[in-house]
Amino acid sequence: MKNIFKKPLVLCTISIAVIFMLLTAFTFGFRTYQENLKGKYPFKQFESSNKCKTCHPGIYEQWSQSMMSQAYTHHWDEIEYFDLAEAHADAVPAIRDVIDGCNGCHTPLAFMNGKFPPPRPSEKTMANESVSCEVCHLIQATQSDPPFNFSYLIEPGMTKYSGRKPGTESPAHKIVTKDIFRTTEFCGNCHNEKNPFGMWVKSTQIEWKEGPYAAQGVLCHDCHMPKAQYLNALMAKPYDDARLHLFHGGHDPGKVRGTIELRIQPDIREAEPGELVIFTVALYNAKTGHKFPTGSVEDRILWLNVEATDAKGKVYHLNVDKKGFEGEEYTISGDYLAYQDMGIPKKISDFKGVQRDGIPSGNRIFRMPYFDPEGRMTMMQWNTAKLGVDYRLGPRETKVEKFTFKLPFDAAPGKMSVKATLNYQLLVKSVADFLKVPADESEIMVVNDHSTTITILP
């Protein structure tokens, strides 16, 4: 296995200049908005979502099955925060405030409670509320433009805010309509993130704003909180246009399936052994209003695998043709080591890294690599000093990939089936294995597939 980065990992790798940059970026980049909510409100000033459940059981059950309710308790989020982020802050105290800021979106109640790190999920405190009913329905405004890094303005109390038309009433609390709830800026409070190096390490709402759906007025809500006739509260009548609190996204196989349409075709239909056949695969992002993958793209891997099966069942793997663009080497799977900076929080001196892609070599990967201050590919967004080539699929974008295949001389005559499969993993498997993340986080989700045939002449 090749290690393309030769520098040894030194635990005290961050220079005084970089530490200064981190502190400066945090002071002037992370918190440029009006009010710092860190440590401002204790847990006792907020209600548990279980109380909301008594009047809103259906909405509660939808939320409880979503990642919103697990943003702090989900196994990978716990491992990433405690085993990487917190441990990194222990090794490099200059980034302590940055790491505390993770909680501003993953468990806002704990962030406002102000005790860091918050208790582990096993301690079953209010930190486990994650992104709860109170978090969203106490937001009055966003405090930055564009919104990013928990830029919401929250004040606890018995006044709850929503996007419903004025006149909606509740016996349990006051309801005030806020226009912010009908904007994507509401989502951008946490679905945009700028790190201490000034890198947009999450930019889902910005991607939407720059894409075709923004111009047409199709909001985040329209896909992730679809309208339906639904009973929001037990004491109310069903609304014809209630917003379902599904929040289904990248963790939902049903949402992922069919996101990208693809078709494969050969340049010729009949060929002899030894002859070249070029297979063209067209991939069209028909479904997302942002790029795919989006969000934690440093974790995600989306790749196109093409295999041919001859008349006797022998399988051949096809390698993608290179296009020659800068940074392409990070978009074709290979036998490389990466993520060496995980050695800092794991306290492994001169850590060699783990396998970069964790998939067969020669596949096209649709990703944007993140690089640490030493130029090594990283999984730690807070330690990302540079972004690589963005080879993801934008909304309504089509990418075309070619696979030139020299038919093997021993290929069986007759029909050869060639199948293109687009696969998706939430977390690169080699990283998941190294950090002992439960297997479901690196399970392969099939996004789409398509097959074609050629005839091999005798």
Side-chain angles (χ1 to χ4, degrees):
M1 186 177 290
K2 293 176 282 186
N3 187 344
I4 57 176
F5 298 106
K6 302 297 185 182
K7 294 182 181 180
L9 179 66
V10 180
L11 291 182
C12 297
T13 186
I14 299 184
S15 66
I16 294 175
V18 173
I19 291 174
F20 177 78
M21 180 182 68
L22 288 168
L23 292 172
T24 302
F26 181 79
T27 302
F28 298 105
F30 255 47
R31 306 225 55 87
T32 58
Y33 25 90
Q34 302 164 16
E35 185 173 341
N36 188 344
L37 297 176
K38 183 179 181 180
K40 187 170 183 179
Y41 302 116
F43 280 144
K44 65 183 181 181
Q45 291 194 241
F46 297 97
E47 300 283 1
S48 168
S49 295
N50 280 318
K51 182 174 182 180
C52 307
K53 178 183 179 180
T54 59
C55 291
H56 306 277
I59 294 295
Y60 172 89
E61 294 300 342
Q62 292 170 3
W63 165 84
S64 69
Q65 295 181 140
S66 75
M67 291 307 297
M68 288 287 196
S69 71
Q70 303 169 50
Y72 186 68
T73 61
H74 181 248
H75 49 62
W76 166 230
D77 292 293
E78 180 179 3
I79 291 168
E80 183 180 32
Y81 178 65
F82 285 98
D83 295 0
L84 290 182
E86 269 294 319
H88 196 175
D90 288 343
V92 185
I95 66 171
R96 168 55 59 190
D97 283 344
V98 176
I99 301 309
D100 289 351
C102 298
N103 299 286
C105 284
H106 283 267
T107 174
L109 301 190
F111 180 74
M112 290 183 281
N113 187 57
K115 295 181 180 179
F116 303 101
R120 287 263 190 177
S122 59
E123 297 184 46
K124 301 186 184 306
T125 68
M126 286 284 283
N128 289 12
E129 290 282 305
S130 298
V131 184
S132 66
C133 310
E134 285 275 86
V135 169
C136 288
H137 289 284
L138 289 175
I139 290 178
Q140 299 184 35
T142 182
Q143 301 187 82
S144 69
D145 184 16
F148 69 105
N149 295 11
F150 47 95
S151 54
Y152 48 74
L153 176 64
I154 285 179
E155 183 178 355
M158 293 309 295
T159 298
K160 314 301 178 185
Y161 303 95
S162 82
R164 290 225 59 84
K165 59 185 178 182
T168 304
E169 296 181 358
S170 167
H173 51 75
K174 184 178 179 181
I175 301 175
V176 172
T177 299
K178 288 282 187 180
D179 289 342
I180 181 85
F181 281 78
R182 294 191 291 269
T183 72
T184 64
E185 279 70 26
F186 187 93
C187 311
N189 283 313
C190 280
H191 289 276
N192 295 330
E193 179 185 351
K194 184 182 286 188
N195 81 350
F197 295 92
M199 298 293 105
W200 285 107
V201 292
K202 289 183 179 65
S203 56
T204 303
Q205 188 267 342
I206 294 172
E207 292 164 16
W208 168 86
K209 195 168 186 178
E210 294 173 347
Y213 292 89
Q216 296 176 356
V218 180
L219 307 179
C220 308
H221 321 39
D222 296 325
C223 291
H224 300 283
M225 298 182 69
K227 290 180 181 179
Q229 186 181 74
Y230 199 75
L231 185 67
N232 275 355
L234 293 178
M235 68 289 295
K237 294 179 180 180
Y239 290 116
D240 289 333
D241 59 348
R243 288 286 183 177
L244 304 184
H245 287 47
L246 303 178
F247 306 117
H248 43 349
H251 284 77
D252 184 341
K255 194 73 168 176
V256 169
R257 181 72 182 177
T259 295
I260 308 298
E261 296 177 359
L262 64 90
R263 291 294 183 272
I264 182 171
Q265 82 273 349
D267 63 336
I268 54 176
R269 286 291 176 181
E270 295 182 342
E272 297 178 348
E275 195 170 350
L276 294 179
V277 182
I278 300 174
F279 293 92
T280 300
V281 182
L283 304 101
Y284 172 59
N285 183 354
K287 194 172 176 182
T288 73
H290 45 70
K291 294 184 178 182
F292 184 68
T294 192
S296 300
V297 298
E298 74 280 9
D299 299 348
R300 314 288 188 238
I301 184 165
L302 175 73
W303 75 97
L304 179 62
N305 184 77
V306 177
E307 291 182 342
T309 305
D310 70 15
K312 290 187 176 180
K314 187 171 183 179
V315 178
Y316 306 88
H317 180 266
L318 279 61
N319 292 339
V320 69
D321 293 357
K322 294 180 180 179
K323 293 183 174 180
F325 56 84
E326 185 177 355
E328 185 176 20
E329 63 270 25
Y330 294 98
T331 74
I332 299 178
S333 56
D335 192 16
Y336 303 110
L337 293 174
Y339 318 118
Q340 289 86 355
D341 61 340
M342 289 193 297
I344 302 173
K346 300 302 286 184
K347 297 182 173 61
I348 305 173
S349 181
D350 195 20
F351 180 51
K352 303 302 182 185
V354 299
Q355 221 282 340
R356 189 188 75 182
D357 309 315
I359 60 175
S361 296
N363 290 322
R364 176 67 78 192
I365 304 174
F366 303 92
R367 63 149 56 119
M368 179 169 64
Y370 290 16
F371 299 101
D372 74 1
E374 294 189 33
R376 305 167 303 190
M377 202 164 160
T378 181
M379 278 283 168
M380 303 195 299
Q381 69 269 25
W382 60 89
N383 197 41
T384 299
K386 181 182 177 182
L387 299 175
V389 61
D390 190 348
Y391 200 69
R392 296 174 293 159
L393 286 144
R396 295 182 185 160
E397 179 185 5
T398 300
K399 289 189 184 296
V400 176
E401 306 295 339
K402 293 185 180 296
F403 295 77
T404 300
F405 184 40
K406 183 177 182 180
L407 296 178
F409 287 101
D410 62 349
K415 289 288 185 184
M416 172 178 274
S417 175
V418 183
K419 185 176 183 179
T421 305
L422 187 64
N423 297 307
Y424 175 68
Q425 282 175 310
L426 291 160
L427 182 61
V428 173
K429 191 175 187 307
S430 53
V431 175
D433 291 345
F434 174 70
L435 295 173
K436 297 180 172 56
V437 181
D440 63 326
E441 195 69 8
S442 56
E443 286 180 352
I444 296 174
M445 296 188 217
V446 175
V447 179
N448 223 324
D449 59 67
H450 187 244
S451 297
T452 191
T453 61
I454 62 170
T455 299
I456 299 182
L457 302 173

